């Protein structure tokens, strides 16, 4: 059984006296089970050897555990072992020439935000959308991609200087992103990507993080591509709408679900995770839990008992609520606090992508938008109006190329009034305001500092509803507080603190702007 691995430090890892990472017993058992599954598919993690995949063999395993149980450490360790064995990681931004003997791995998440959380921890994750569709490169610029990925010689490309190619190479050495490297050379996305197509050839192994967010249709799509799937998920989170409180991994046989129970030493003194795991007590009532929050706030500054919502924090980290009416009231208060006009958005206002409003005949434009991160649930910051009516300049949080311009339908809801629509393209990406979001929409995302609107959690407790036998308020509280990676603000009153300054976009990472995603601009 696996016990120690010589890896760089990772989140939730427990180093032994010699500095190597030590698996807990349940992690080691899960690692061995996944390794045995991969061995049956021709990938030997022990010897680091590969053989052709057996046709017809298919499997789905799930690794489940609550926050702090080491799912990310296990996923990262398995990824490194696969890469060391010679398995090729598919990122979704470029695929070189296919070899008959190659074995492949993709690490996927349902949203850009969830994928970016993994990338910050050193795991080369991408979104499910980016793996379902593959880019079609212009042949001239594909020669640069082949060179960057070690599959060809340095090319001479008309219009690109040696200095530009050097910039592309230097970028790729730091960040293994072909589109990012080409953008560093001065190219726009529409220069080198001519379109997108549904993936035709299958891959080998898929690791799916945040799999509690998957529905059956998405799982079926993934099964068409990956003969071997490993789902990583948290059984205490909220299930997708329509699954009656069940996750897709709940429907797997017990023998196919590997449960992580141990909480690692690095998380043992984390008051946020302490509160999250306290919610597993069946007899715990809301009033008792709130007393625990108060005690944690007195003992540790990573938990803050707040009487007011922080308007400045809302600009980048939404307040998490249960009720839609609460969300709308807080958004209206946020805009009023910053002096936002009734008929326009201010640069720096946060938005949430609510889907793509395009007819079926515009499938290519839909794929373009989704591939650049504008998928349902994506967090976006408004930068200003585009140069064409109906277009908006946007910063997509967590995307590798965050700055885009897109035809946008932006709706700002108001309490008991018709919504205000500052941007109304006839088709394109649809957005709602993102200063406050429901806890359901926040699932899969993570922020350093998170504000949880406690009166809504109390309202859910008063409603007495349950999901899969668990009181709804406990699921809501668990998901909400585990969105915080550093500090939790437990807001107790219907009040908003005045902002300390004006909205700004100066804090946003600059990136190469993609050309207009719908219709050209």
């Amino acid at each position: 059984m696996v016990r120690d691995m010589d890896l760089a430090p990772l989140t939730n890892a427990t180093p032994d006296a010699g500095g190597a990472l030590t698996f807990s017993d349940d992690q080691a058992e899960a690692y061995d089970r996944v390794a045995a599954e991969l061995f049956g598919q021709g990938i030997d993690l022990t010897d680091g050897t590969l053989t052709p995949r057996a046709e017809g063999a298919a499997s789905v395993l799930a690794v489940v555990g609550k926050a702090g149980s080491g799912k990310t450490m296990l996923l990262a360790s398995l990824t490194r072992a696969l890469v060391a064995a010679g398995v090729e990681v598919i990122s979704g931004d470029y695929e070189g020439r296919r070899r008959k003997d190659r074995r492949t791995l993709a690490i996927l998440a349902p949203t850009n935000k969830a994928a970016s959380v993994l990338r910050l921890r050193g795991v080369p994750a991408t979104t499910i959308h980016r793996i379902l569709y593959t880019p079609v490169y212009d042949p001239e610029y594909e020669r640069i991609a082949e060179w960057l990925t070690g599959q060809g010689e340095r090319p001479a490309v008309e219009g690109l200087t040696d200095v530009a190619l050097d910039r592309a190479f230097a970028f790729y050495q730091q960040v293994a992103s072909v589109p990012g490297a080409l953008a560093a050379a001065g190219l726009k996305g529409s220069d080198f990507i001519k379109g997108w197509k549904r993936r035709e050839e299958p891959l080998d192994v898929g690791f799916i993080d945040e799999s509690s967010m998957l529905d059956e249709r998405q799982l079926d799509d993934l099964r068409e591509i990956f003969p071997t799937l490993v789902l990583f998920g948290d059984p205490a989170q909220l299930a997708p709408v329509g699954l009656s409180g069940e996750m897709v991994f709940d429907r797997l046989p017990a023998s196919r679900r590997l449960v992580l129970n141990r909480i690692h030493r690095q998380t043992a003194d984390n008051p946020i995770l302490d509160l999250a795991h306290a919610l597993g007590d069946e007899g715990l009532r809301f009033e008792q839990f709130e007393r625990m929050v108060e005690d944690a706030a007195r003992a540790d500054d990573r938990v803050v008992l707040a009487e007011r919502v922080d308007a400045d924090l809302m600009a980048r980290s939404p307040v998490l609520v249960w009720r839609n009416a609460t969300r709308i009231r807080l958004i209206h208060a946020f805009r009023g606090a910053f002096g936002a006009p009734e008929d326009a958005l201010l640069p720096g206002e946060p938005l949430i992508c609510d889907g793509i409003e395009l007819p079926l005949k515009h499938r290519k434009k839909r794929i373009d938008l989704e591939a650049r991160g504008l998928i349902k649930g994506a967090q976006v910051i408004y930068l200003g109006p585009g140069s064409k009516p109906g277009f908006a300049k946007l910063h997509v949080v967590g995307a590798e190329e965050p700055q885009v311009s897109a035809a946008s339908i932006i709706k700002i809801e108001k309490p008991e009034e018709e919504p205000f629509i500052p941007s109304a393209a006839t088709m394109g990406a649809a957005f709602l305001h993102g200063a406050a979001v429901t806890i359901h929409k926040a699932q899969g995302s993570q922020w350093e500092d998170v504000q949880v609107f406690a009166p809504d959690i109390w309202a859910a407790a008063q409603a007495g509803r349950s999901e899969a036998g668990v009181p709804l308020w406990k699921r809501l509280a668990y998901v909400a507080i585990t969105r915080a990676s550093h500090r939790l603000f437990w807001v107790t009153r219907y009040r908003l603190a005045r902002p300390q300054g004006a909205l700004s976009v100066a804090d946003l990472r600059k990136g190469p702007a993609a050309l207009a995603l719908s219709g050209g601009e």
Side-chain angles (χ1 to χ4, degrees), residues 51-91:
T51 57
R53 177 172 60 86
E55 293 298 328
S59 70
V60 179
L61 278 177
V63 177
V64 300
K66 293 184 179 181
S69 58
K71 296 186 297 296
T72 300
M73 174 194 173
L74 183 62
L75 187 157
S77 299
L78 286 163
T79 297
R80 293 187 183 188
L82 282 159
V83 170
V87 175
E88 179 182 345
V89 176
I90 303 299
S91 68

Side-chain angles (χ1 to χ4, degrees), residues 75 79 83 89-91 105-108 115 118-119 122-126:
L75 187 157
T79 297
V83 170
V89 176
I90 303 299
S91 68
L105 163 71
I107 304 103
L108 308 178
L118 282 177
R119 289 197 296 270
V123 179
T126 188

Side-chain angles (χ1 to χ4, degrees), residues 382-444:
Y382 179 75
L383 300 178
S387 58
K388 287 181 63 175
F391 277 71
K393 294 177 181 176
L394 308 164
H395 179 102
V396 184
V397 177
E400 292 183 5
E401 297 180 61
Q403 309 233 345
V404 301
S405 178
S408 303
I409 305 161
I410 302 172
K411 182 168 68 173
I412 310 300
E413 298 148 293
K414 294 184 177 182
E416 301 176 0
E417 295 181 37
E418 288 298 311
F420 148 56
I421 303 177
S423 179
T426 54
M427 60 180 66
F431 299 94
L432 299 174
H433 205 279
V437 302
T438 62
I439 295 168
H440 279 84
K441 280 189 179 292
Q443 193 157 278

